[in-house]
Amino acid sequence: MATLEQLQQLPPLHGQERILALEKLSGVKVEDNDGTDVAAIIVSCVILGITAAFMGYVWLNRNYRPIRAKGVKMCTIIFLSSAVWVVGDFQMNGVVRIAGAWKNCRAWVVWVRILFSYIFSGLLMLRFLALDRIFNRGKPYRGKAMYVPAILLSLLLLAYCLACQFVPTKHISVYVDYFQICVVNDTFRYASIGLMWVPWTVSLVLAYRLRNIEGSFNERYETMVVMALAYMLLIKTTVVQAAHPYFIFNRSFRQSETLLDAVAACMIVWVILAHPVYQCVFHHSEYEVRWVNKLRFDGQVDKYAAGFNVGGDEITPYSHIHEAEFNGSLSSKNLHILEHGRQADVEAENRLVGQQAHSFGNANMEFVPAEMYSDLSVHSDQQQFNRRII
């Protein structure tokens, strides 16, 4: 068999002659690109488009507090990285014919497919890290705590990609005009897969720690689904790349690989955001009031405000308002918030009073009727005040 350097000197093969040569090289049946590959690309783009529309709705309602608590900016970057990663799949999985701009194999493999799959997994790891810092360690996620891990991750990814850029092309991925395909170096292939396990292993440890978060910010089931999807992708990619390096020649294999990546990556975004978005659409005010009341009851208002850079006026704890009111220092802005909150509570709680015991998971809990919020300001005793709010 000719060496890679020798093949580069030969004129390209075409048609059936090319197919037979590839079959001889790989030892597997080669199925050339056809309309079904185009269909796989279209379906993947539709999935990305639907998710993009979903994210557009999220941004339009980004000030809805249950949505805001999910970290809209980070979820958006997670989605964008998944979209670029899937486009890289088109080239690396061979669902597009390698011609024109697709011939730049190293750029597509390193700077698109590999880099953005790392960014995707790294951002999910940072999101878990943020939740762990805020709710398990009781520290805010802003300033150095937010930027230092992100900068370190960015520098590591940049260093890896630059290293791949400056080593000889044959050690990474090279276009072989004779076969009209990209050939990926096995050492690079296995190193990249091995490194992919690092952020997902850290994420798994953090996901285990997040099980301890109680109340409004508990994401136990969402985290389980996200990790299940992530490890399905990780194990699938590892097995395919290690055991079936010529999967790109099998039409069903390459198409299913591409579609699974697109579906699973977008599903992770949907799993994180779907519940608050559903509530925003169908139970906008009622759910927000119930969510805020549960936040107060769980004692997580301060963590929400500090952790997500939400000002005190976004969700002002009633205890703080009462304290200022009792001291005669309640500002007109806080007074407006208090009155607005009371009015919303009265309207929503009257509709939800029959559901509260179930919402808080304790049928024996004694709840205060919504109308009683109206006279909270007359109680100067803080302990008595705290007993009466939910």
Side-chain angles (χ1 to χ4, degrees):
M1 180 64 186
T3 64
L4 185 61
E5 290 77 8
Q6 291 172 330
L7 289 175
Q8 295 286 48
Q9 306 300 319
L10 299 175
L13 299 174
H14 298 283
Q16 191 62 28
E17 186 181 12
R18 171 178 172 271
I19 298 297
L20 292 174
L22 286 172
E23 288 179 347
K24 183 178 180 180
L25 170 71
S26 63
V28 300
K29 180 177 174 58
V30 175
E31 297 174 321
D32 207 3
N33 297 92
D34 64 2
T36 59
D37 289 298
V38 176
I41 293 173
I42 293 173
V43 172
S44 298
C45 291
V46 169
I47 293 169
L48 293 173
I50 292 172
T51 308
F54 174 75
M55 291 304 302
Y57 182 85
V58 168
W59 268 93
L60 289 174
N61 294 274
R62 62 188 179 277
N63 290 325
Y64 186 65
R65 285 170 286 191
I67 289 179
R68 185 173 184 173
K70 293 294 185 177
V72 174
K73 291 180 181 179
M74 184 170 285
C75 288
T76 302
I77 301 174
I78 289 173
F79 164 67
L80 292 175
S81 64
S82 71
V84 178
W85 160 28
V86 170
V87 172
D89 262 359
F90 297 161
Q91 197 270 2
M92 193 168 180
N93 291 349
V95 293
V96 294
R97 189 176 297 277
I98 307 300
W102 298 108
K103 290 182 179 180
N104 196 341
C105 300
R106 176 157 58 180
W108 282 103
V109 171
V110 174
W111 294 99
V112 180
R113 177 59 172 83
I114 299 296
L115 175 61
F116 281 91
S117 62
Y118 285 167
I119 291 174
F120 179 81
S121 58
L123 286 171
L124 283 168
M125 179 184 69
L126 291 179
R127 186 176 184 275
F128 290 153
L129 181 66
L131 291 172
D132 178 66
R133 179 178 175 84
I134 294 167
F135 296 106
N136 284 336
R137 291 185 282 166
K139 297 178 181 180
Y141 185 66
R142 59 189 180 203
K144 291 182 179 180
M146 179 171 64
Y147 292 115
V148 170
I151 291 172
L152 287 176
L153 178 64
S154 301
L155 290 175
L156 288 172
L157 294 178
L158 183 61
Y160 181 71
C161 291
L162 286 175
C164 294
Q165 185 66 36
F166 289 110
V167 300
T169 305
K170 65 180 181 179
H171 296 310
I172 305 297
S173 181
V174 61
Y175 176 73
V176 180
D177 195 41
Y178 181 70
F179 293 120
Q180 299 163 52
I181 61 171
C182 288
V183 176
V184 179
N185 180 274
D186 285 340
T187 302
F188 169 73
R189 184 199 308 270
Y190 300 138
S192 298
I193 294 172
L195 287 174
M196 183 65 71
W197 282 83
V198 176
W200 287 123
T201 302
V202 176
S203 294
L204 186 63
V205 173
L206 291 170
Y208 180 76
R209 284 178 54 83
L210 295 181
R211 80 194 191 286
N212 297 321
I213 298 176
E214 298 296 339
S216 304
F217 290 93
N218 182 281
E219 293 190 4
R220 182 179 294 113
Y221 299 114
E222 292 95 326
T223 301
M224 288 173 59
V225 174
V226 167
M227 293 309 300
L229 289 169
Y231 268 84
M232 180 202 74
L233 288 175
L234 185 60
I235 293 171
K236 170 189 70 66
T237 300
T238 302
V239 171
V240 167
Q241 294 289 341
H244 304 283
Y246 296 113
F247 75 94
I248 62 171
F249 297 141
N250 182 287
R251 190 176 294 129
S252 299
F253 216 146
R254 64 177 177 253
Q255 291 169 9
S256 61
E257 278 291 293
T258 303
L259 289 170
L260 278 173
D261 283 351
V263 170
C266 289
M267 275 187 66
I268 287 175
V269 177
W270 280 81
V271 167
I272 295 171
L273 292 166
H275 181 67
V277 169
Y278 172 85
Q279 298 294 350
C280 180
V281 174
F282 295 104
H283 309 103
H284 190 281
S285 299
E286 297 91 337
Y287 180 74
E288 186 173 29
V289 169
R290 187 171 63 193
W291 186 86
V292 172
N293 282 340
K294 194 170 191 296
L295 199 69
R296 297 183 189 121
F297 177 81
D298 294 335
Q300 292 183 337
V301 173
D302 292 337
K303 288 183 179 180
Y304 172 83
F308 292 95
N309 287 321
V310 179
D313 293 338
E314 289 283 341
I315 300 181
T316 305
Y318 274 170
S319 59
H320 293 178
I321 291 176
H322 171 73
E323 191 173 316
E325 190 176 17
F326 178 69
N327 292 331
S329 59
L330 184 63
S331 69
S332 59
K333 187 174 183 180
N334 281 340
L335 180 60
H336 170 74
I337 294 166
L338 175 61
E339 294 303 325
H340 182 272
R342 286 173 177 167
Q343 182 181 357
D345 284 346
V346 169
E347 293 173 357
E349 292 290 334
N350 286 336
R351 290 191 296 269
L352 300 172
V353 65
Q355 304 173 14
Q356 286 181 322
H358 175 73
S359 298
F360 289 109
N362 188 346
N364 297 320
M365 191 176 295
E366 183 176 322
F367 293 95
V368 180
E371 290 79 9
M372 293 182 66
Y373 283 113
S374 60
D375 65 348
L376 287 176
S377 60
V378 302
H379 297 281
S380 60
D381 181 74
Q382 186 68 43
Q383 185 176 5
Q384 182 179 9
F385 171 81
N386 288 334
R387 286 199 302 269
R388 299 186 62 184
I389 63 172
I390 59 175

